Amino acid sequence: MAGVKITWLGHSAFLFEAEKKLLIDPFISGNPLAPCSPEELNPDIIAVTHGHRDHLGDTIEIGKRTGCRIITIHEVANYIKSKGVFAEGMGKGGTVNVEGIKLTMTDALHSSSIDASGFSFDGGSPAGFIIRINGHSIYHAGDTGIFGDMQLISELYEPELALLPIGDKFTMGIKEATKAVELIRPRIVIPMHYSTFDVIKQDPEEFKRAVEAKVDTKIIIMKPGESIKL
């Protein structure tokens, strides 16, 4: 099985590097924890989980500059296209194969208004992604509360790595994310969407202790700019 390099860019933004580079939720400008500038990112593909400013982020600017393929839910794709950048819409439960990387859109419990449009566009509904790259299955949950069908996601796609929000208020907090790990049972979890701003400040070590007291899943706490390899 070939490897994949995964770099956390702060908040919910991750860069996956194999033969092709996939960037998800590129909130770089305005992200106080971002370890790079948007101009330093040259992905082949961008995936966007929902329309909020801290997830859509710099998608349009990076898309204009690089001509990369952009994958998101249908309504957010329509907004991106209105800005002169082509995006491919899809729906939950569907799978697209983009440059050899398979993206399956999953449910998420959140909202998806497009702040940047002045709320003049329908943002559809929020999503997560199963990313299958170089033989690895990775679950990026997007912004979500816990829901029982995370167990179904586990059964269908058997993710070895899950990227889960723990920031509370707008997403799962530590208690809910710990239960989510029990439902998903991945080999590794990386917490995300926390401590970018004071309103979502959390201690990831508390999450690590809570999870490792219940299941065998390994928690990897990353700093923005750090990478791991699968």
Side-chain angles (χ1 to χ4, degrees):
M1 187 183 292
V4 54
K5 180 181 177 183
I6 301 165
T7 304
W8 188 37
L9 302 177
H11 209 55
S12 299
F14 286 84
L15 179 65
F16 304 86
E17 296 177 85
E19 286 76 15
K20 299 290 183 177
K21 291 185 285 187
L22 166 68
L23 178 62
I24 189 163
D25 283 1
F27 172 49
I28 307 300
S29 300
N31 178 354
L33 301 181
C36 62
S37 68
E39 292 73 27
E40 294 175 78
L41 297 171
N42 295 286
D44 299 289
I45 309 155
I46 296 176
V48 181
T49 62
H50 63 291
H52 291 167
R53 191 183 306 272
D54 58 331
H55 295 265
L56 181 61
D58 299 286
T59 295
I60 291 169
E61 292 73 17
I62 295 170
K64 281 180 180 177
R65 177 173 54 81
T66 66
C68 66
R69 292 178 70 176
I70 300 171
I71 308 295
T72 186
I73 202 159
H74 173 75
E75 291 82 358
V76 176
N78 284 343
Y79 170 68
I80 293 170
K81 286 187 279 190
S82 79
K83 297 299 181 180
V85 178
F86 182 69
E88 299 173 51
M90 66 179 298
K92 294 177 185 181
T95 299
V96 295
N97 189 328
V98 189
E99 308 279 358
I101 298 173
K102 288 184 178 179
L103 295 168
T104 300
M105 184 171 278
T106 69
D107 201 8
L109 296 182
H110 194 58
S111 60
S112 185
S113 53
I114 304 176
D115 328 48
S117 76
F119 308 103
S120 61
F121 271 78
D122 179 3
S125 60
F129 284 101
I130 290 289
I131 302 158
R132 281 166 287 187
I133 178 171
N134 269 1
H136 298 278
S137 179
I138 300 163
Y139 175 37
H140 188 297
D143 273 9
T144 191
I146 188 171
F147 55 97
D149 281 350
M150 286 179 171
Q151 186 170 347
L152 187 58
I153 290 170
S154 174
E155 292 173 7
L156 281 170
Y157 309 114
E158 299 180 330
E160 63 184 286
L161 168 64
L163 313 172
L164 301 180
I166 66 165
D168 211 353
K169 187 163 184 176
F170 301 105
T171 67
M172 297 186 289
I174 287 172
K175 180 178 181 179
E176 295 81 8
T178 300
K179 185 62 178 180
V181 177
E182 292 185 73
L183 294 175
I184 302 163
R185 295 293 175 117
R187 183 167 63 87
I188 301 168
V189 166
I190 296 172
M192 64 175 184
H193 201 278
Y194 69 93
S195 297
T196 316
F197 309 105
D198 284 345
V199 71
I200 56 170
K201 190 170 183 61
Q202 293 289 340
D203 178 4
E205 293 289 350
E206 180 185 342
F207 174 61
K208 177 182 172 74
R209 290 190 297 270
V211 169
E212 293 182 350
K214 294 194 174 206
V215 293
D216 292 334
T217 297
K218 180 180 181 182
I219 304 300
I220 296 180
I221 298 169
M222 299 180 71
K223 295 179 180 176
E226 285 188 340
S227 302
I228 66 166
K229 286 190 177 179
L230 288 182

